[in-house]
Amino acid sequence: ITPPPHIMAINNSILSILGFILSAYSVYVEHKVEQNLHDDDINPDEEFRALCDIDAIGASCSAVFQLPEGKMLSFFGLVPKDSALDIPNGILGMLFYTYVFIRCNMRSSELILLDRRLNAVVCSLALASSVFLARKLYIIKEICVVCLTTHVLNTTVFCRAILEVVKKQKDKVT
């Protein structure tokens, strides 16, 4: 049973806003950590501490964001390392969640962004990146609350995209 389209749009809007905020925060954390690494004049008492670095559960998002996989485009050789296109995964997430938000709030069926199959492909890419990164977290035995939350969001958005395709196929048959 699929929820009505307006409920799906509201829920996807909320998911995309949350995902955008988490992605933006990851970019902020990565920037602050990078700044601390290169600033020799920082007083240890003033050193940046991310909200997602939680000692009680052994979580350190700031450590995870510094991994080579934190910039997947260069990690997979799609762009040269340290080039202008070598952007953090958080920026890719911000772009993805912006796409999800715009798509679920559009009203015209003429636009290619609304194509269910294209959406399924875009959401599949987001899910594939989440699976890859979650596997890496498991291998290195690291907890990243921000990462895990975005993986759940990506999985949910993907499942909704697939439901949308399946529903459209059922509607064509009947």
Side-chain angles (χ1 to χ4, degrees):
I1 298 173
T2 311
H6 65 282
I7 298 296
M8 289 279 281
I10 292 169
N11 290 338
N12 278 348
S13 290
I14 293 168
L15 294 175
S16 63
I17 291 168
L18 180 58
F20 186 92
I21 291 168
L22 289 171
S23 296
Y25 183 69
S26 75
V27 172
Y28 170 75
V29 169
E30 188 170 347
H31 173 73
K32 293 299 280 185
V33 168
E34 191 72 27
Q35 190 177 30
N36 278 356
L37 290 175
H38 297 297
D39 192 351
D40 297 331
D41 297 331
I42 290 184
N43 180 343
D45 295 332
E46 296 173 7
E47 191 170 312
F48 175 74
R49 177 103 172 130
L51 294 174
C52 50
D53 289 346
I54 308 167
D55 292 334
I57 60 171
S60 177
C61 64
S62 58
V64 169
F65 297 155
Q66 297 302 306
L67 294 172
E69 292 85 351
K71 293 184 176 180
M72 281 196 307
L73 295 179
S74 63
F75 180 79
F76 286 116
L78 300 173
V79 301
K81 187 169 176 46
D82 298 324
S83 73
L85 295 175
D86 188 17
I87 57 176
N89 295 345
I91 292 177
L92 295 175
M94 290 167 67
L95 292 171
F96 171 67
Y97 293 117
T98 299
Y99 160 79
V100 171
F101 184 83
I102 290 170
R103 185 182 183 280
C104 70
N105 288 291
M106 292 178 102
R107 298 286 179 232
S108 172
S109 61
E110 307 271 327
L111 298 170
I112 192 163
L113 283 179
L114 293 175
D115 183 77
R116 289 170 173 84
R117 293 163 297 190
L118 173 64
N119 187 48
V121 169
V122 171
C123 292
S124 295
L125 292 172
L127 181 65
S129 69
S130 281
V131 169
F132 171 77
L133 294 170
R135 181 178 176 274
K136 178 66 178 184
L137 288 176
Y138 177 77
I139 289 170
I140 65 172
K141 297 184 181 0
E142 189 69 66
I143 298 171
C144 172
V145 176
V146 171
C147 304
L148 294 173
T149 305
T150 58
H151 299 332
V152 169
L153 292 174
N154 288 348
T155 302
T156 304
V157 171
F158 169 78
C159 290
R160 288 166 171 263
I162 296 304
L163 280 173
E164 194 178 345
V165 170
V166 169
K167 183 182 180 320
K168 182 68 172 181
Q169 292 301 323
K170 282 184 180 179
D171 290 348
K172 280 184 180 178
V173 172
T174 54

